[in-house]
Amino acid sequence: MGGTGSTPRLDLTGVTKRFGDSVAVADVSLALAAGEFFCLLGPSGCGKSTLLRLVAGFEAPNLGVIRVDGQDMAGLPPHRRPVNIMFQSYALFPHKDVAGNIAYGLPDLGRADRTGRVRDLLARVRLENFENRRIETLSGGQRQRVALARALAREPGVLLLDEPLGALDRGLREETQGELRALQRRLGITFVMVTHDPGEAMALADRIGVMDRGRLVQVGDAATLYERPATRFVASLLGDVNLIPGRVAGRDGDWAVVQTGFGPLRARAPGTMPGEGEAATLAIRPERVGLGAGTGPAGTVTEVTFLGERIRRRIRMEDGTLLRASMPAVAQAPDPHGVGAAIRLDLDPEACRLLPA
Amino acid sequence: MKRPARLLAVVPALWLAAFVLVPALIVLKISLSAAATAQPPYLPVLDWSAGPVGWSSFLEALDFTNFETLLGDALYRDAALQSLWLAGLATLILALIGTPLAHAMARSPKRWQPLLVALVIVPFWTSFLIRTYAWIAILKPEGLLSAVLLRLGLIDRPLEILGTQAAVLVGLTYAYLPFMVLPLYAVMVRLDPSLREAAADLGASPIRVFWSVTLPLARPGLAAGALLCFVPMVGEFIIPDLLGGSDTLMLGRVLWSEFFSNRDWPLASAVAILMLALVVVPLVLLRESGTSDRDTVR
């Protein structure tokens, strides 16, 4: 089932799904390479799970084409698709034991082959000798592993994972993240994982697709999305960010000057939107806001919060705009930028992004 | 907290004792008596004034003659076998009709389901007796079914179905269908739909999904439905009496005629005890198998 080099493993073109009047998935196009770990990231109700269900075949798109290794999936029922899904609830069969669950997708294998296969899969998820355990006797983490082993049993070209770690508590989740990543690397299967946790997406995925109200608004690796978000939504989803309203005063290639309430700022501005004279947003991460004594915009420190390894400051600009600045904590007494200190901002234009308003 | 809880358990216990246990013991006692032309129509009757002597002569007079009669006479044995056979066959038919029906109900759109459940229950608004009489009108040779089949040319002379076991089966199946469908539906509607989806995702065709996931998980509903139907059908009287013929000998009818026609209360009571045994024994066996099932899987 190996795809040829040029054919994407999973290829979505203009996929749209409506439920009555509401659009769950709007015109999503996406191509995933074999062996890629892809995360669909977004808040609940953004359509990411529906997109997964469309690929698995539980729902049919109103528009658009879904291809796996070049083969159009239209009209193919779930049981004929070369993809498998792992449910958020795990959906393990309560009337079958662990081996019965894992072997469910392997009815054509002989008894001996099946036993061996189940043992291999259990070893892969580190559940040796769990064959005859009942599902109700397993812990949450063990169930998660059984569900993963069952979904991998048929060696799918694409494995869909719907919030696979959502039901685990935090410590276990971080441990399992590492294992999931290692397993995916070893097997070379294309993983499409749905999550609402940006940290999880950044830790696991080769590429992340951010969904907002049914649309795939940006696709890229974690660093790209973090450093060069395309919209305010993406910028604030992936971490704390200062969003400063303003108007484009001038453009020069990939650069723009934005007139903000506390003066003009230079910013990176790829593309052509928003154009000169239009309302815009300037985004800058708190850790990129420097405090200096230079000639930058003037402000006053109104709050200092010590967070251990970092110190966060709240700064009121002359026009009343509040900004956050975050920097590594350095033992420095007395603090030159304590509450009430008049400071000048040092804003690196490379760290400033021009976004649509 | 503890005392009211205990009191709450006492109420149903008293209820069951007064209206199930005591009557059952009375019936058991009568079944061990002999018929008599007297008031009440059986002997012995306990003579309270005679003291211990009265008790011992009372107990000595009780015997198993009626049960020997029942077991020795082919009529009763055949009636018992036929009751079990017809009730069992009807239960099977009910399971075959009820399971897909309940499955379809549980899978239909949520907003339709209350209506579908109501449609299953609606026949109860009419008296059971009237509904059974309606089947006479449908099944009789000059009835509705005959007329339709004649008109369609599927048969060339009127149906001779009324008064046969087939008519009894039709009547039983019709009357008890809700008791099969409702428990099955109640279990199926609560099944997590992602289990079916997971099975389909793992390559199972819709038929395999049904056999390997839906049906095993619906087993408690199927067992409840089968019990709710089988138990009363074994003792059913009205349906075999109205729809069956002289060849339909079910225990309910035998009991009725022993009691009212022959005025043989002891024999009728013995039939009742036999019927109870026929029903209770499989019930206990079923429970046993259920618990041992759960024990072995752990």
Side-chain angles (χ1 to χ4, degrees), chain A residues 53 58 78-79 83-85 87 89 91-96 104-105 107 134 136 150 154, chain B residues 192 194-206 208-209 212-213 216-217 297-298:
Chain A
R53 293 175 59 80
F58 302 133
H79 65 279
V83 303
N84 283 124
I85 186 167
F87 289 87
S89 66
L92 295 172
F93 305 127
H95 59 298
K96 293 179 181 291
Y104 187 85
R134 298 293 302 177
E136 75 245 31
R150 185 178 72 174
R154 290 164 65 82
Chain B
D192 180 358
S194 65
L195 292 174
R196 281 198 304 265
E197 289 179 346
D201 184 69
L202 292 165
S205 63
R208 185 170 171 233
V209 172
S212 65
V213 175
L217 292 175
V297 295
R298 280 189 185 258

Side-chain angles (χ1 to χ4, degrees), chain A residues 266-279:
Chain A
R266 259 167 73 77
R268 272 281 187 192
T272 56
M273 293 293 287
E276 209 168 314
E278 286 180 60

